[in-house]
Amino acid sequence: MTSMKRSNSDKNTNLNLHLPPKKAAINVANKTVPSKKIFYSIVHTIPGRIRFRIPLLARDTEYANQLKLAIESDPRVTNVRINPKAASIVINYKVGVISDNQIREHLVNLIQTAQDVVVPKEVMAKSIIEAILDALINLIDSTRKINQARNVIVYRRVRIDILERILSTSRSIIKRLKSATMFILPNKRWRLRGNSEINSQPLKLKSASEPELV
């Protein structure tokens, strides 16, 4: 009897050994993929101006926009210029606010972390209004076609009724409004803000005269 019980328990333990570890699988799935390392070199530097060469700028437009946004968000930076063909970026910054070594370390850090920045999409106010008016015109055209088809079925001919006149007049008014709006409205861009406000916050740097905390 004892031998039978031991054999059954051995079988159960053997079966349990083949079961996949659920916790381990969940932990692996939840692991985030680390950001890839960005290769760079400092081409030229003088007080208030530094130029980096980053090969990724020549082949990744999204990263270039992310890096530009991340650097421009720092109030100490006065100008940022990217040359994709030369795979270089030139940054001008305020002299005397922080040391050159600190701004260099800060910019190097941004080069590595800029790929995690969310770039807010920019849309033009004109394009928004134009899309709305075009949608109204398409809706009117669809309603007119349905009404014309109904008239053909009921009256056996194409008939201009009150609804057709209202729809036709409304379409003309909206088209004129669209033309006037496109002519008057300036080319102002609006940024769609979201979580990007959090991701694009500038990193805080100490001033040259500020003592270091131990």
Side-chain angles (χ1 to χ4, degrees):
M1 293 294 290
T2 56
S3 61
M4 289 294 293
K5 289 182 179 179
R6 287 178 182 174
S7 61
N8 289 335
S9 62
D10 292 339
K11 288 181 180 179
N12 291 333
T13 53
N14 291 333
L15 290 174
N16 291 331
L17 290 173
H18 293 289
L19 292 176
K22 294 182 179 180
K23 291 185 178 180
I26 294 173
N27 292 334
V28 172
N30 290 335
K31 285 184 178 179
T32 56
V33 179
S35 302
K36 60 182 178 180
K37 185 178 180 181
I38 307 298
F39 295 96
Y40 71 93
S41 61
I42 298 176
V43 180
H44 180 69
T45 178
I46 57 174
R49 186 176 183 271
I50 186 169
R51 180 184 177 192
F52 290 93
R53 187 179 184 279
I54 308 171
L56 187 60
L57 293 175
R59 60 180 187 273
D60 194 335
T61 305
E62 183 179 359
Y63 171 76
N65 293 332
Q66 289 172 318
L67 180 59
K68 191 171 187 291
L69 177 65
I71 296 176
E72 285 178 340
S73 65
D74 194 301
R76 300 167 184 84
V77 174
T78 57
N79 186 39
V80 181
R81 188 174 71 256
I82 294 179
N83 185 349
K85 293 182 179 179
S88 67
I89 180 171
V90 178
I91 301 118
N92 295 87
Y93 58 91
K94 297 177 182 178
V95 180
V97 180
I98 56 175
S99 67
D100 293 336
N101 289 333
Q102 284 180 316
I103 191 66
R104 191 180 302 115
E105 292 176 1
H106 175 55
L107 294 174
V108 168
N109 182 48
L110 289 181
I111 289 172
Q112 299 299 330
T113 59
Q115 53 194 328
D116 299 324
V117 173
V118 178
V119 180
K121 295 180 181 179
E122 290 187 346
V123 292
M124 294 180 62
K126 271 189 176 182
S127 63
I128 296 175
I129 296 178
E130 186 179 9
I132 294 172
L133 296 178
D134 285 339
L136 288 174
I137 291 174
N138 292 333
L139 179 61
I140 290 174
D141 289 339
S142 300
T143 307
R144 288 181 66 188
K145 289 179 181 179
I146 294 172
N147 185 58
Q148 289 171 1
R150 184 184 66 83
N151 288 336
V152 170
I153 294 172
V154 174
Y155 300 102
R156 304 288 181 178
R157 62 186 176 85
V158 177
R159 183 173 177 268
I160 300 176
D161 57 359
I162 297 176
L163 181 58
E164 173 64 23
R165 289 185 183 134
I166 294 173
L167 292 173
S168 179
T169 304
S170 301
R171 189 180 190 278
S172 300
I173 292 173
I174 292 174
K175 287 200 71 173
R176 291 174 185 174
L177 179 62
K178 177 185 173 181
S179 300
T181 304
M182 295 302 103
F183 179 76
I184 296 172
L185 198 68
N187 291 324
K188 187 175 181 180
R189 292 183 177 270
W190 300 84
R191 279 190 172 180
L192 302 178
R193 297 182 180 270
N195 295 330
S196 57
E197 291 185 350
I198 299 174
N199 295 332
S200 61
Q201 291 295 328
L203 296 178
K204 292 182 180 180
L205 295 180
K206 295 179 296 184
S207 61
S209 59
E210 185 179 348
E212 293 186 358
L213 298 175
V214 180

